[in-house]
Amino acid sequence: LRATIEEADPTLDADVAAWRADRCDLPRLSLLGPVQARTNGDLYAVTDRKPYYTEVLAWLALHPHGGTRDQLADAFGITANRVRVDIKAVRDWLGDNPRTGTQHIPDARQSAAGRAQGRGIYQVDGLLCDLDLFRRLRARGQARGGEHGMTDLANALTLVTGQPFTGTREQGWAWLAEGDRLDQHM
């Protein structure tokens, strides 16, 4: 099991190092403490509504298999046309992924899920999220056991900077209360 877990996540150590670096070529989303996003794209794309756009980014991050325009519209109580406007703003804010040369949020029809399902599915690619890194470190730590496992578990705990999901915008994040309460589990 240990070898399988380690082989399944060969970039974990590099991703954790990138997360902790002063400068990172990937956008980073913090959820295990005060919610915040650090990006390399056009900050002016979100200046007026950064807490809202951070929430949109978090929704995408917490739906790794993506979401349709209608799912986003339902989650945020907005129109389908507004989804397109908001996704464009977040896309511009994240910028291009220098590792792939593509946008972090591709056209919905060109995302991995969109191509697989033959319909528009919004997904974010190349985003580092502390919650995802935590889960990956925890899984590898449990599989490794012993000293190496304890190191992974301790590294996972250092990603927690406060009470998870704090500092969210008022009147937002209602979608987080639906279904499995990830905010409470964390």
Side-chain angles (χ1 to χ4, degrees):
L1 179 64
R2 175 183 174 168
T4 303
I5 297 271
E6 288 176 338
E7 290 170 12
D9 198 351
T11 65
L12 178 56
D13 292 322
D15 289 346
V16 171
W19 175 267
R20 292 194 172 119
D22 290 334
R23 304 189 103 234
C24 180
D25 62 351
L26 296 176
R28 295 175 278 187
L29 177 65
S30 300
L31 299 173
L32 298 178
V35 173
Q36 67 174 344
R38 297 171 285 170
T39 71
N40 297 314
D42 180 7
L43 182 59
Y44 294 109
V46 300
T47 300
D48 294 339
R49 301 181 69 203
K50 189 174 179 182
Y52 172 77
Y53 291 122
T54 301
E55 181 181 349
V56 172
L57 178 59
W59 191 93
L60 289 169
L62 295 175
H63 292 83
H65 300 292
T68 65
R69 180 188 63 208
D70 292 339
Q71 289 171 320
L72 273 159
D74 185 53
F76 285 86
I78 57 177
T79 66
N81 285 334
R82 185 71 214 185
V83 169
R84 284 192 269 287
V85 169
D86 292 344
I87 289 292
K88 182 187 180 331
V90 176
R91 181 182 289 133
D92 292 347
W93 182 37
L94 297 182
D96 291 337
N97 185 341
R99 297 178 183 188
T100 63
T102 61
Q103 296 174 316
H104 286 287
I105 301 177
D107 177 280
R109 295 169 305 238
Q110 298 305 315
S111 69
R115 286 191 314 270
Q117 295 182 32
R119 61 187 182 129
I121 305 286
Y122 290 111
Q123 282 183 295
V124 62
D125 297 322
L127 172 72
L128 294 177
C129 180
D130 57 0
L131 193 149
D132 177 58
L133 293 171
F134 182 96
R135 288 174 166 168
R136 292 164 60 192
L137 282 165
R138 182 177 151 260
R140 188 174 76 179
Q142 288 178 316
R144 281 179 162 176
E147 183 179 328
H148 292 296
M150 287 303 294
T151 299
D152 282 343
L153 295 174
N155 280 333
L157 289 175
T158 66
L159 296 169
V160 180
T161 60
Q163 181 179 341
F165 293 92
T166 57
T168 57
R169 70 184 184 98
E170 288 186 34
Q171 307 302 317
W173 296 81
W175 55 268
L176 193 57
E178 297 171 1
D180 193 21
R181 292 294 306 264
L182 182 61
D183 58 326
Q184 292 179 355
H185 288 287
M186 291 290 101

